[in-house]
Amino acid sequence: AAPRGPPAAVGRGAGAQHMAQGSRAGSYALNLISDAVTANGPLAIERGTYTYAFTPGLDAPKGVVAVADTGKYLVRWKQVDGRWLIMDDIWNSNRGM
């Protein structure tokens, strides 16, 4: 069976809430490397890789541990009123199951 993760964070508020929860638990570093971008009119798809490191803070809930990860991602961009906005973002880890 595949490892289980949190449910999808859908919508601007849900994404912001997800990031805020992580920030309260500790500090993290995220590095994105874009490998390719394909655009067609107001839509674009970006493919790349990431490295991620999380260090629990003093206020982290009990049992929260440090995490280091690498993986790949896809982002769907849409141009709205002259600005490129992220519409969807998905990633998965390179860690084995």
Side-chain angles (χ1 to χ4, degrees), residues 6-22:
V10 178
R12 183 178 293 197
Q17 182 180 14
H18 174 78
M19 296 304 289
Q21 286 173 342

Side-chain angles (χ1 to χ4, degrees), residues 38-55:
T38 302
N40 186 0
L43 298 176
I45 301 292
E46 176 184 0
R47 177 180 49 84
T49 59
Y50 71 84
T51 58
Y52 172 83
F54 171 78
T55 304

Side-chain angles (χ1 to χ4, degrees), residues 50-97:
Y50 71 84
T51 58
Y52 172 83
F54 171 78
T55 304
L58 296 175
D59 295 329
K62 185 176 179 162
V64 173
V65 298
V67 175
D69 191 24
T70 61
K72 52 263 176 209
Y73 69 89
L74 284 175
V75 176
R76 181 175 67 100
W77 296 86
K78 183 175 182 182
Q79 193 174 41
V80 177
D81 297 327
R83 295 181 352 168
W84 286 97
L85 304 176
I86 294 174
M87 305 309 286
D88 295 292
D89 179 9
I90 189 165
W91 65 91
N92 63 330
S93 174
N94 289 338
R95 290 187 286 185
M97 292 193 223

